[in-house]
Amino acid sequence: MTRPGFVLEVDERTPPLLVHEGEGFRLQKFPLGARVVYAPDPLPGIRDLPGAIRQALLNPHDSEPLPELLKPGMKLTIAFDDISLPLPPMAKPDIRQRVIEAVVELAARKGVEDLRLIVANSLHRRVTADEVKRAVGERVFRSFWPRDLYNHDAEDQDDLLYIGKTDKGEDVEINRRAAESDLIVYVNINLVAMDGGHKSVPVGLASYRSVRPHHNVHTMLHSKSYMDPREGRSAIHDSCARMGHLLRDSGIRIFTIETTLNGETFPSQFGFLNKREWEWSVKDQVMFLAAKRANDLAPARIRREVWRRIEAPYKVTGVHAGETEAVHERTLENLHRQQLVEVNGQSDVLVLGVPYLGPYNVNSIMNPILVHCLGLGYLFNMYRNKPLVRPGGAVIMFHPVPWEFHQVHHPSYVDFFEEVLSETTDPSTIESKYEQQYATDPWYIHLYRNSYAYHGVHPFYMWYWGAHALDYLGDIIVVGGDPKACARMGYRAATSFRDALEMAGETVGRSPSITYFHAPPLAIAEVR
Amino acid sequence: MAAGKRPGLADEIRDLAKGWRWGRRSVVPRSAEPYAPPSESRAFPTAWARTAAAGAAREVILRYGLRAVVWNETSPEIHGLDNLEGLEAPVMFISNHTSHLDASLIMTSLPREWREKTAVAAAKDYFFDVWWRSAFTALVYAGFPIERGGGERATDTARELVRDGWNLVVFPEGTRSPDGWVQRFRLGAARLCIELGTPCVPIAIHGAYQAMPKGRSWPKPGRPPISVRFGRPLDPREGETHQELSRRMFQAVAELFDEDRTTWWEALRRAERGETPKLSGPSGPKWLRAWEASRPLPRRSRRAWR
């Protein structure tokens, strides 16, 4: 049995702890008594993965076996998560490849001819040919790309189908090809509890019109735990569930296949990043020293390239198939086995090391807005029940927050940062005043459809993800952050952790309780 | 590391060496230690060291071995032993702790009738980790293991010893001071005094840090002066909480330090006005604290009559 998650109390025996800070990391001493939340050790992977996939497809939950759903002459669409998952990208072969190959094999044997594969990228940037090839494998890529394997286009009015409104008045519009298929097989990777379930088809294959009802400030402020999709806990998941039910009631048949991965986030040469510090061997210490020195001394371009090439040696811990909700329930159980950590009570200060990679800068640059999204949108929200920090408390993040943008991937981000955030950082004002303008801007739509740009509205969503944290927290301080970029976002920059604690003292008092959320590897804090 | 300065290779190596205790036993943070149900059989037995035979051997070692060495290598001055007169055993001696010399100084300065029934509480994780160190601690200091982390069973042996009439020497800081200044007192000693109704005798040891600070295994040359000052016993009061008693203990030690630096009279008056100098050292940069703590004690002139 692997070791469960763990909350360390820093004492005089505790060595300095590793903290991620963008494309770098550091050892940081924490005050005595600070708590540190560690994820459970990686679970063992499934030994016979092809057997487990076959088993899932032949014995699905609340559904007929997949072979029985496949018939000659049918229209079959396989949709799958884009490269925003998993993080870092999984070492080859990607689990999507393994599952899609199994489905395609069954379809071929059953005489299915009309088969298309769609990258469910929603309003994310289009995925390049190389990236698709990496995700689905050479065999699938060569057979289907580009005619029958392509990116979903949320702005292609000819390839969208309006399904109707939910009982709460939410518009549902998804990819026409998928909606008109006899069967949609959705292949998912569930990295965190927020993913999967009804967030797959109703969001991944949706248009702006259909994403808007739940990606907004009101919903985010009422999603008290993004990582707890149970009914009533997260408004965004409730909205997605209503959309999923509407699709089902409209006669759209979805066969969901969800997979979960263990916590082996970094390859062996960076093994120390996966370990608890006091368990570092001499080799780990030497590797830390060598990696840190090389990283600090390397030119920025080379440093980024080295980080970009990191592949996670993830192992698959679960494959479940069948009806969406039945599958997702089991997926979450698996995920919780790997990520859930019980934590007793909240603290005054939450410390977050923001790593180099988030869902929206794969093969790209983490710009300041993505730092906001990853820190306050994702890491802050990695809890169930209540946040790790008390209302009005402070978050201290580590990240250089460079004023830097990928001009191809994030064009609307540049303008959002320059035009919108210079006016206001209030999510509600931003939403009401600027969202429509960016979402319907023809140039951004053109770049989204024909280049590799995120949709014009995407930076708004990134800002909304942090809305709950902005509303909840009393202070946000970034250690090592670019002062100008931080000021633009309403943060305060500190040069050292000690300074940051000193600054936080103005909000939370002179001797605050501190919790350091030690991630990655990812954990979900179950706060009692 | 200075604020905002990127650490260099030397800084990183130093952090690693310090954090991972290069060249020393590796330790695990207490909260990360695997849970092991406490078992008596695993603890080093020390009852043999409190037998009459071991007591006789200890007396020889302390009087003719340890005292000779300590008194030869340093210049201790003992004050306030008259406070023990009329006092009934068992009592708890509590002292500040800056040096490995502390236990030796206390044991060798106590009158024989007190010493022969006095046991020193020693950290289990340090003094009772290997058999030879455990045996030495048990024999020379009548040492018994105590869990620094506290908890239910941390003071079980101490409780039994007091009930058997043994005096205890306890360092409530739990560990030697890293900078010579007195650290916060942990509450275990006060809790035990209240529970058992035992008086506690405060002791201030001044100069041991300058003579043999943490990190040294032998006193500095030149017979550095050390002052060991025993105070008046403190009795737990009716309804007193362990936090309150612990604060009184700390204050008593602070007054002894003040007395040592000035005079009994001045210290008394300052205590009355609530102006006893703090034992936690000056506020200010780290160097200033270290500088002040390592200031050598003035040598007192040897006089025939005093």
Side-chain angles (χ1 to χ4, degrees):
Chain A
M1 186 187 153
T2 50
R3 285 188 305 182
F6 171 62
V7 180
L8 174 81
E9 186 182 328
V10 173
D11 60 14
E12 70 281 1
R13 296 175 174 190
T14 309
L17 304 176
L18 188 120
V19 181
H20 287 269
E21 45 180 358
E23 289 162 350
F25 45 83
R26 67 162 75 181
L27 285 179
Q28 179 65 55
K29 277 296 255 185
F30 279 78
L32 297 183
R35 302 185 305 178
V36 187
V37 179
Y38 287 90
D41 279 354
L43 296 170
I46 295 172
R47 277 194 190 168
D48 177 16
L49 187 55
I53 295 170
R54 197 166 49 247
Q55 168 74 11
L57 300 183
L58 297 182
N59 300 289
H61 304 287
D62 296 353
S63 166
E64 299 94 323
L66 184 61
E68 290 180 22
L69 298 173
L70 301 174
K71 293 181 178 59
M74 76 179 295
K75 219 177 198 183
L76 174 64
T77 298
I78 301 174
F80 56 96
D81 285 341
D82 71 355
I83 55 157
S84 59
L85 291 166
L87 299 172
M90 186 175 178
K92 289 195 274 192
D94 193 287
I95 181 60
R96 282 168 287 218
Q97 172 188 341
R98 310 286 286 258
V99 175
I100 290 171
E101 281 179 355
V103 176
V104 171
E105 183 80 40
L106 281 176
R109 286 201 191 150
K110 285 286 180 176
V112 177
E113 289 185 355
D114 188 357
L115 169 57
R116 294 226 179 133
L117 296 104
I118 303 177
V119 184
N121 51 299
S122 190
L123 303 177
H124 299 171
R125 72 172 171 87
R126 294 191 310 141
V127 175
T128 66
D130 281 346
E131 289 167 340
V132 175
K133 190 175 177 181
R134 198 181 178 289
V136 299
E138 195 273 338
R139 211 175 148 202
V140 173
F141 182 81
R142 190 150 51 86
S143 306
F144 296 97
W145 181 268
R147 191 173 167 277
D148 296 319
L149 165 58
Y150 51 85
N151 289 286
H152 163 68
D153 184 347
E155 290 291 346
D156 183 357
Q157 301 306 325
D158 297 336
D159 196 24
L160 291 170
L161 184 67
Y162 185 73
I163 309 294
K165 280 184 192 294
T166 67
D167 52 2
K168 299 273 184 191
E170 296 142 319
D171 289 314
V172 180
E173 184 177 52
I174 66 164
N175 183 286
R176 177 182 289 276
R177 158 71 202 194
E180 291 178 349
S181 294
D182 298 304
L183 181 67
I184 303 172
V185 174
Y186 196 96
V187 180
N188 145 284
I189 299 178
N190 232 94
L191 190 68
V192 290
M194 191 176 66
D195 305 332
H198 285 302
K199 216 166 151 284
S200 294
V201 173
V203 180
L205 295 176
S207 65
Y208 168 61
R209 186 183 184 186
S210 197
V211 171
R212 199 179 163 200
H214 42 68
H215 277 55
N216 57 56
V217 177
H218 179 266
T219 312
M220 293 303 172
L221 287 176
H222 289 82
S223 297
K224 293 304 182 195
S225 178
Y226 301 167
M227 296 300 155
D228 191 357
R230 289 175 293 179
E231 196 176 347
R233 314 279 177 119
S234 165
I236 185 171
H237 287 94
D238 291 349
S239 175
C240 293
R242 284 191 293 274
M243 291 185 171
H245 296 155
L246 181 70
L247 293 179
R248 184 189 60 202
D249 298 343
S250 311
I252 295 172
R253 185 73 200 263
I254 302 171
F255 186 87
T256 299
I257 306 168
E258 293 193 338
T259 60
T260 47
L261 305 173
N262 71 358
E264 287 186 50
T265 310
F266 295 100
S268 58
Q269 61 269 37
F270 294 108
F272 59 89
L273 295 174
N274 287 328
K275 287 187 176 177
R276 298 172 185 179
E277 288 80 356
W278 58 93
E279 292 171 353
W280 283 10
S281 61
V282 174
K283 184 184 158 203
D284 291 323
Q285 294 171 45
V286 171
M287 286 308 294
F288 163 82
L289 206 58
K292 172 124 180 68
R293 276 289 95 193
N295 192 63
D296 288 354
L297 295 174
R301 199 169 52 79
I302 292 173
R303 180 164 59 230
R304 180 161 297 151
E305 187 58 21
V306 170
W307 283 104
R308 193 186 69 75
R309 288 187 182 205
I310 286 184
E311 293 181 347
Y314 286 129
K315 296 194 177 56
V316 179
T317 56
V319 182
H320 296 285
E323 192 276 327
T324 304
E325 286 177 10
V327 167
H328 197 51
E329 195 180 314
R330 288 164 176 84
T331 300
L332 287 179
E333 276 173 27
N334 260 343
L335 201 76
H336 288 161
R337 276 201 301 138
Q338 179 57 79
Q339 294 187 354
L340 215 55
V341 188
E342 284 198 15
V343 180
N344 211 1
Q346 298 175 305
S347 58
D348 299 318
V349 176
L350 173 64
V351 181
L352 302 169
V354 181
Y356 72 103
L357 185 63
Y360 314 112
N361 71 313
V362 176
N363 301 327
S364 187
I365 294 171
M366 184 175 285
N367 61 54
I369 300 163
L370 292 178
V371 174
H372 170 84
C373 175
L374 185 57
L376 298 186
Y378 291 120
L379 294 176
F380 168 82
N381 282 297
M382 293 298 284
Y383 68 85
R384 289 188 3 143
N385 199 25
K386 53 188 177 182
L388 278 162
V389 58
R390 68 168 169 79
V395 157
I396 296 176
M397 297 193 282
F398 285 76
H399 198 280
V401 200
W403 190 305
E404 196 181 1
F405 293 82
H406 196 292
Q407 299 295 335
V408 174
H409 294 162
H410 303 121
S412 62
Y413 281 67
V414 180
D415 297 337
F416 179 87
F417 198 69
E418 296 287 0
E419 285 179 12
V420 179
L421 288 184
S422 58
E423 288 290 320
T424 176
T425 57
D426 175 52
S428 301
T429 312
I430 288 173
E431 182 179 42
S432 59
K433 204 168 162 189
Y434 297 100
E435 184 185 309
Q436 273 304 304
Q437 178 197 331
Y438 275 68
T440 55
D441 185 298
W443 177 241
Y444 294 143
I445 292 176
H446 172 78
L447 292 177
Y448 164 77
R449 297 193 62 192
N450 300 296
S451 176
Y452 291 97
Y454 279 82
H455 196 277
V457 79
H458 204 258
F460 289 77
Y461 293 164
M462 297 301 93
W463 200 254
Y464 302 164
W465 279 110
H468 175 213
L470 289 179
D471 181 54
Y472 182 90
L473 294 168
D475 205 354
I476 300 159
I477 300 164
V478 186
V479 177
D482 176 323
K484 276 171 70 185
C486 289
R488 174 64 57 90
M489 296 194 291
Y491 300 169
R492 296 199 290 164
T495 48
S496 70
F497 185 43
R498 189 182 291 176
D499 287 352
L501 284 174
E502 193 75 26
M503 289 159 71
E506 297 161 18
T507 314
V508 295
R510 286 289 151 203
S511 46
S513 53
I514 298 167
T515 299
Y516 169 37
F517 185 71
H518 198 298
L522 292 174
I524 300 173
E526 173 93 47
V527 184
R528 300 287 180 198
Chain B
M1 181 196 323
K5 185 185 145 202
R6 297 293 291 185
L9 180 62
D11 297 317
E12 279 159 6
I13 291 175
R14 195 178 53 239
D15 285 351
L16 281 171
K18 202 171 159 200
W20 279 264
R21 297 167 58 89
W22 288 0
R24 292 182 289 163
R25 286 176 305 131
S26 61
V27 292
V28 171
R30 287 191 189 86
S31 56
E33 283 180 327
Y35 175 74
S39 68
E40 279 306 307
S41 57
R42 283 184 59 228
F44 183 84
T46 55
W48 60 270
R50 294 185 289 274
T51 58
R58 176 159 50 250
E59 183 59 27
V60 172
I61 294 169
L62 285 175
R63 183 183 282 195
Y64 303 107
L66 205 56
R67 184 182 164 95
V69 172
V70 173
W71 255 249
N72 188 52
E73 294 296 315
T74 66
S75 312
E77 286 193 13
I78 316 298
H79 310 275
L81 282 176
D82 47 337
N83 285 313
L84 299 181
E85 279 174 23
L87 189 62
E88 275 187 31
V91 302
M92 187 182 290
F93 296 102
I94 59 120
S95 165
N96 64 308
H97 194 22
T98 57
S99 168
H100 276 326
L101 287 173
D102 294 342
S104 306
L105 284 164
I106 294 172
M107 288 299 272
T108 53
S109 57
L110 279 172
R112 182 177 174 178
E113 64 274 19
W114 282 90
R115 179 166 62 221
E116 64 191 9
K117 203 71 169 144
T118 297
V120 179
K124 185 176 172 187
D125 56 7
Y126 187 92
F127 290 99
F128 289 89
D129 61 340
V130 289
W131 73 267
W132 55 267
R133 206 188 329 251
S134 309
F136 178 83
T137 309
L139 178 64
V140 178
Y141 301 102
F144 63 93
I146 194 157
E147 297 272 7
R148 281 199 241 229
E152 275 292 296
R153 300 179 62 95
T155 49
D156 277 0
T157 317
R159 206 171 275 118
E160 285 166 23
L161 287 176
V162 172
R163 287 188 180 127
D164 288 348
W166 282 78
N167 309 299
L168 304 183
V169 175
V170 175
F171 300 106
E173 291 164 81
T175 184
R176 284 172 294 158
S177 164
D179 58 8
W181 297 101
V182 181
Q183 306 172 89
R184 182 177 64 85
F185 276 14
R186 298 183 187 202
L187 301 175
R191 194 176 275 136
L192 209 60
C193 280
I194 289 175
E195 182 188 329
L196 302 170
T198 317
C200 85
V201 177
I203 304 171
I205 302 177
H206 194 191
Y209 178 76
Q210 290 85 336
M212 194 171 101
K214 203 168 182 174
R216 278 189 77 94
S217 52
W218 198 256
K220 287 180 183 169
R223 300 192 68 209
I226 300 175
S227 155
V228 181
R229 192 172 288 273
F230 290 74
R232 286 172 190 265
L234 306 172
D235 283 304
R237 293 174 185 152
E238 189 71 32
E240 189 173 32
T241 64
H242 51 269
Q243 290 95 337
E244 288 163 351
L245 179 58
S246 186
R247 271 197 291 275
R248 277 208 294 142
M249 289 174 168
F250 195 85
Q251 174 65 18
V253 174
E255 286 172 28
L256 288 173
F257 265 94
D258 194 19
E259 181 182 334
D260 203 63
R261 274 190 292 259
T262 58
T263 67
W264 176 62
W265 172 240
E266 284 178 43
L268 265 184
R269 293 186 60 199
R270 250 199 294 278
E272 199 57 40
R273 296 196 301 268
E275 292 172 359
T276 306
K278 282 185 191 167
L279 286 187
S280 48
S283 53
K286 207 173 162 186
W287 68 263
L288 181 66
R289 292 171 56 78
W291 179 258
E292 289 298 333
S294 56
R295 191 185 291 282
L297 256 61
R299 280 183 193 279
R300 298 183 189 193
S301 56
R302 294 212 167 259
R303 290 180 294 180
W305 304 97
R306 40 180 156 165

